Amino acid sequence: MPPTTVPPTTVPPTTVPPTTVPPTTVLPADVFDPACVVRSTGTSFEEVTADTDSTSDDASVGDALGGLALWIESGFSSGIAAGDLVDICVGNGLNDLDGSPNPQPDDAAIAAARQTNVERQQGKLNELFADFGASDLAVDGDSGARTGQRLCAARLALGLEISVDDMEPGSAEESLLFAATQLPVPTPDTGESGRWILVDRTCQMLFAGTGSTLTFAFTTSTGSTDFETRLQSGAEAFRFNPAVQNNGWHDSSEFPVGVDNPRNGNMYKPLYFDVGQAIHGANYVPAFPDSKGCARLRVGDQDALVGWLGLSDAPGETWRKAEMDVEVTVQGEFIGR
């Protein structure tokens, strides 16, 4: 009887799932005062302050904690990153990481820190809006109406609470701003395949695109008090007047003027979406509502919008909606700065 042959047993290799190691919160041994130092696990100072009750008993932790105070205290010249060491004992006269003197900042130091952070935000805003026709902000740390207008537009696109205020250094919203690699479409109502224009009265910005693709982000000036640009939800553009006989300038029939004065009535290549209200070019487009109901764009921006719609060579006025093929939404309420 032949010997029994036992086939070798094949043991499948053991699969060990990868281990995810969270960022360490352990402090280096040479930290001067461990009670006053935490290691950030996120990218905002708000995440740091949320854990301070469990990491420090210092009396200065609490009301004194704020993005700017922590930013100055810890000597950050840019944003905060996960793993950074943060000195949370604000105003105690010490750098609690190494024990060196750290005088409480005076008004000049605080103003300089704010200016530096505004410059950072202006530079990032220029980066995000660069591909959509918006003119660059001056990166000068002077936070005026134009910067507020652009911050408002960025918040709208990023789905944040709308405001024209500066973003606090190291805040959660500033962290989202600097983490953004592109400007999203600013409203969920534009996910269809057609062309759309969004006029936001809060930010005084006009966005345009096709479906889920953003094409333009222009500054605008909507209707002033008692002449507000009326709210719309997908209104079809119904009339376009290239005013070819007058180099594109159409004299408003409701607010006529004798010369091409965009502050009074003349409109450059108006695209109508609601009775006598239109999107049109103008030589004066402030960062606040100042028109008689229309949404103004700079002349070059209006040319770009008209070109995108395929109307640059229109021989004359048209009332055919199919030729314009764009829906206009108007939303928001203006908030000054």
Side-chain angles (χ1 to χ4, degrees):
M1 183 174 182
T4 303
T5 303
V6 179
T9 302
T10 303
V11 180
T14 302
T15 303
V16 180
T19 302
T20 302
V21 181
T24 178
T25 56
V26 177
L27 301 178
D30 59 351
V31 165
F32 178 75
D33 186 354
C36 284
V37 177
V38 298
R39 187 184 292 278
S40 171
T41 57
T43 57
S44 76
F45 283 123
E46 291 174 15
E47 294 168 285
V48 173
T49 60
D51 296 328
T52 53
D53 289 342
S54 61
T55 57
S56 175
D57 296 323
D58 189 274
S60 66
V61 177
D63 290 342
L65 279 180
L68 184 66
L70 285 174
W71 202 62
I72 296 173
E73 185 76 18
S74 299
F76 288 98
S77 59
S78 59
I80 183 173
D84 284 345
L85 297 179
V86 183
D87 183 349
I88 61 172
C89 292
V90 176
N92 65 350
L94 288 174
N95 178 334
D96 291 294
L97 281 72
D98 60 18
S100 62
N102 190 14
Q104 190 163 353
D106 57 17
D107 290 345
I110 293 172
R114 285 199 179 279
Q115 180 175 342
T116 298
N117 203 53
V118 169
E119 289 175 359
R120 294 177 59 242
Q121 292 177 14
Q122 289 169 332
K124 182 62 179 181
L125 290 167
N126 285 345
E127 175 189 319
L128 288 177
F129 283 84
D131 294 333
F132 303 106
S135 57
D136 279 351
L137 298 168
V139 182
D140 56 7
D142 182 6
S143 184
R146 292 294 181 190
T147 298
Q149 187 178 34
R150 205 67 58 87
L151 283 169
C152 180
R155 287 181 171 107
L156 177 64
L158 293 169
L160 300 170
E161 183 176 351
I162 303 303
S163 168
V164 297
D165 295 335
D166 295 336
M167 294 183 177
E168 280 295 304
S171 63
E173 64 172 1
E174 187 186 66
S175 176
L176 287 173
L177 174 70
F178 281 98
T181 58
Q182 62 182 4
L183 195 68
V185 170
T187 172
D189 299 331
T190 56
E192 298 180 359
S193 59
R195 295 189 300 205
W196 53 267
I197 294 172
L198 171 66
V199 177
D200 188 83
R201 303 191 306 186
T202 306
C203 303
Q204 294 293 286
M205 291 290 295
L206 180 148
F207 300 88
T210 304
S212 59
T213 300
L214 180 63
T215 303
F216 295 122
F218 296 140
T219 56
T220 188
S221 176
T222 59
S224 57
T225 302
D226 297 330
F227 299 97
E228 287 84 359
T229 306
R230 290 181 286 270
L231 299 175
Q232 308 288 332
S233 180
E236 291 181 282
F238 65 89
R239 175 188 175 196
F240 172 66
N241 187 355
V244 292
Q245 76 285 355
N246 194 33
N247 297 318
W249 290 96
H250 166 66
D251 197 5
S252 169
S253 58
E254 189 170 355
F255 301 100
V257 292
V259 295
D260 292 339
N261 184 348
R263 298 198 67 175
N264 291 312
N266 277 11
M267 306 182 292
Y268 182 76
K269 298 183 179 180
L271 178 74
Y272 293 87
F273 58 86
D274 181 15
V275 192
Q277 295 194 343
I279 298 163
H280 67 81
N283 288 323
Y284 177 65
V285 185
F288 53 86
D290 194 54
S291 81
K292 291 296 192 291
C294 294
R296 297 178 187 166
L297 297 179
R298 294 182 175 93
V299 169
D301 294 345
Q302 183 71 5
D303 277 333
L305 186 71
V306 167
W308 172 64
L309 293 173
L311 298 171
S312 295
D313 298 324
E317 186 172 16
T318 179
W319 291 71
R320 290 186 288 274
K321 293 180 181 179
E323 290 188 21
M324 291 158 270
D325 188 25
V326 66
E327 294 185 349
V328 179
T329 294
V330 180
Q331 66 179 25
E333 296 295 335
F334 178 67
I335 49 176
R337 183 155 191 174

